[in-house]
Amino acid sequence: MKEKEIKNLLNKMTLEEKIGQMVQVAGDIFLTDDINVETGPLKNLELSNEQLYQVGSILNVMGAERVKKVQDEYLSKSRLKIPLLFMDDVINGYKIAFPIPIAQGCSWSIDVIKKIAEISAMESNIAGANVNFSPMVDLSRDARWGRVMESIGGEDPYLGQVYGKAIVETYQGKDLKKLGNVASTVKHIAAYGAAEAGRDYNTVDMSEREFRQYYLPAYKAAIEANAEMVMTSFNILNGIPATINRWLIQDLLRKELGFKGIVISDYGAIEETIIHGISEDEKHAALNAINAGVDIDMMSRIYANYLKDLCLESKEIEEKVNESVLRILNLKNKLGLFENPYGNSNIEKEKTYIMSKENLEETKKLVEETFVLLKNKDNILPLNANKKIALIGPYADNTAITGSWSMFSDRKKNTTILEALKRKVKDENLLYSKGTEILRIEEINRILKADGLQTLENKNEKEEEKQMLQQAKNIAKESDIILLALGEHYRQSGEACSRSNIGLPKNQIKLIEELHKLGKPIIMILFNGRPLELSSVERKLDGILEVWFPGTMGAEAIIDVLLGNTNPSGKLTMSFPQNVGQCPIYYNHYNTGRPHNYEGRYLSRYQDIPTKSFYPFGYGLSYSKFEYRNLKLDKTKIKEDEKIKVSFEVENKSDYEGYEIVQMYIKDLFGSVVRPVKELKDFKKIYFKKHEIKKIDFEITLDMLKFWNEKLNFQAEKGEFKVYVGGNSTEVLEEKFVLE
Ligand code: BGC
């Protein structure tokens, strides 16, 4: 459609039809037989049948056939036949579940991130998606927050920027009509990851400088990459819920960043402003949200039921509604839905492309790059396949390794570690025992109950646990090496999964302790959605491979890394704390006036634990051993228009070829405001042959030295800086330079 035709269409619409475009409902409503407003699923939403057939978009209906059914049903009763938009939570893939976003980030590879985005977009587009609700680029510093698992950049704003941009560009391509392209939604704006005490949905109150310096850059990068949509966050930001925050949406997003796309609320968030105590009632909530500039109300009745009255009372509001509807119609047009309401959904292509053999093979390679080797005492890994292995643990023969957001992927079809290992080692060399459950019944039931699911019953829990432990010990005694597959339950991380204790479950710790007594080497394969507290068990383990929730091809990838067919290369994007009392802990913090590395008592430290993290940001081992040396700068003094070339050598001092992720950090030694101890400014992922020496270059540019200064201007200040290079944020070479 031409621009003029879209405007004509807008003019033909009744006020009710316009408002309908601004409402999003879960599309299953159209698939049930019971669309009766009195008794059916619409009851809670309090929408009439007429309102239902005017809504503009649908949440989480996927599958070409289902999408067609919903679209046909809707269009059959809709007066102007404006097609529905299908928006979906494709977070880490559609049918192929990829590693959870925090794991993807640990690849430090734009290529990996792009490939995952490409397959996810193609699979979901064929299955009817027009819009994906990702990337999630909320800066995440607090491991108690369950949603750190969704954060693509972890605790680092630079990673959030480069990854977020890569995902948006890959999803959207140059033409949204093209097969495999979907509109992208950057979320959750803003500073959702800074929820106090890591409790989901909790208060966020921070200085504008902190917000601009750390939290905003990743959202900004995604917006500059032309993300079509933005989703607001549930939290309040400096006193006002983000969803109705005019400063955030109007001043910052629309005016300063020039965002032209659609702003969607998060699920029910407009209505929640009443509970926040900032909207007096539902009508007031609608007024607050439209005034702030929210175009689509996700899953609440507020816009549907109150915008009309507000428009009749005020021309200004009606004008705002027209602007919002125009944005929504424009996106539908860009996606080509007026010509073809089914988009690129295609039943035939679903059969050939989705879960295709080629993509699964490719996926396995991508997954391998997301693992982080945390410990490898005496080079216990790679495993010697001729040794007798005792595979133990609740994740050893478990298919639930895709994380809590992979709701479209069929978990039950995943391969387990046990199955994958059986294919690679001789039968007589492999013994298996579960050892323990992931959680005790009482703990899992608390979670299931909160999720409204059937709880479990097991009167013999104690006896069964005892037997499992005994069996595990028996096979461990017969073996040369113990492979322990442990971790969090997948329902322990994700939305509303905050935890005040981020250790392994107690029963799993007991299993480690009991097996440790046998004196055999133990390697732990760790499944989790957040940095865990490992300090109490780490000494009892010889190897730790962090695999997060690795997804559909996880088990195969794990076995290939353990056996040394692939060299692990991932590095952490979030610091692991010594214990939960350190949270939030992050590498790019400020110095106090009394840092812990001074002598004396009155220091900024804990009495009972070290101040530093347990595993730092950027950390991860490899089967190769890399040595960094000869850091040189081509100049040590620069003017504003000059650049510095940073060069150094890295040597692979091992017989393993593999990737190393080389990182460059900068510290501004003095500023008009306090500057962090270090900030990541660039990185490269480089492949080394056995014993290869490579010369590596980075460039320091003026932009890397800029920050939000005393007057809230983004500028570099003259003076001394330090540059650091290394394989993680703490083991680094350093040099000084001056900006004149
Ligand atoms: C989450 C969003 C998600 C939305 C739609 C919300 O509860 O916060 O991230 O996109 O639901 O399912």
Side-chain angles (χ1 to χ4, degrees), residues 52-97:
L52 179 66
Y53 284 93
Q54 285 167 348
V55 300
S57 57
I58 288 294
L59 171 65
N60 284 341
V61 168
M62 294 198 79
E65 209 177 316
R66 281 160 63 83
V67 163
K68 183 166 184 316
K69 222 168 149 189
V70 172
Q71 191 71 282
D72 285 344
E73 167 65 21
Y74 174 86
L75 290 176
S76 71
K77 302 209 177 66
S78 139
R79 187 179 74 96
L80 289 170
K81 314 259 174 266
I82 302 174
L84 287 165
L85 263 176
F86 288 82
M87 307 198 187
D88 302 286
D89 282 306
V90 175
I91 310 295
N92 46 306
Y94 171 55
K95 288 286 179 194
I96 296 185

Side-chain angles (χ1 to χ4, degrees), residues 59-60 89 133 147 187-188 231 234 266-267 298 405 495:
L59 171 65
N60 284 341
D89 282 306
F133 283 155
R147 301 197 80 165
K187 69 187 191 186
H188 309 80
M231 189 186 292
F234 287 118
D266 205 343
Y267 201 107
M298 185 201 295
W405 271 108
E495 186 174 352

